[in-house]
Each structure stands twice: as C-alpha cells, then as structure tokens.
Amino acid sequence: MAHKRRNAQSNNSMIFSAWNYKMLSLGLLLVIIGFTAMYIENEVYGFISLFISPIMIMAGYVTVIFAILKGKNGSSVTSSD
C-alpha cells in the first residue's frame, strides 16, 4: 500500500518549471528596484520618480503575471481534471 502512495506522489509534477521561477524572481526584482529607486530619489517631480520607476514597477508586475500564466510547454495553464 505504501508503494502505491509513493508512485502516486512521484507522478505528480510541479506546477511551475524552472523558467517560471526565474521569471517570477526577475519580476519581483524589478518591482523592488523600482520602488527602491523611487524612494532613493525622494523627489516628487524627479525624473526617476515620475518616469523610470513606474515603468520598472509595471514591467515587474507584467513579468510576474506572464510567468504565472505561462505553462510548461509554452501554452497557458489549464486544469486537467
């Protein structure tokens, strides 16, 4: 009986691949760098605060969403019940 459980558990694959985790990390890094750059400049009307940081933050969010929705084989994630 334990042998059947072990085989059932080993057949379950992970939801995300290594590529997905790398993209999630990249997106999170972009968001952190964007907020940090906005904080470091500390000016309301500065060039980095108004233009560079929001673009980096949005690129980070888009990257995270893309990494979550992207499937292992290049298609979007679908449930296989």
Side-chain angles (χ1 to χ4, degrees):
M1 185 168 233
H3 181 66
K4 288 182 182 180
R5 275 192 223 139
R6 193 176 322 138
N7 284 340
Q9 289 176 354
S10 66
N11 289 339
N12 293 337
S13 62
M14 295 182 64
I15 295 173
F16 294 135
S17 64
W19 183 86
N20 294 95
Y21 287 115
K22 289 176 187 175
M23 293 304 289
L24 283 168
S25 300
L26 177 67
L28 184 63
L29 183 68
L30 282 172
V31 170
I32 290 171
I33 289 172
F35 277 115
T36 304
M38 194 181 298
Y39 175 76
I40 287 174
E41 187 181 29
N42 203 16
E43 290 183 24
V44 176
Y45 297 110
F47 180 74
I48 294 174
S49 294
L50 285 179
F51 297 106
I52 305 298
S53 292
I55 291 171
M56 289 182 69
I57 293 168
M58 288 304 295
Y61 286 142
V62 168
T63 305
V64 167
I65 291 169
F66 181 72
I68 291 171
L69 295 179
K70 183 83 169 172
K72 281 186 182 180
N73 57 2
S75 62
S76 62
V77 176
T78 58
S79 63
S80 58
D81 290 332

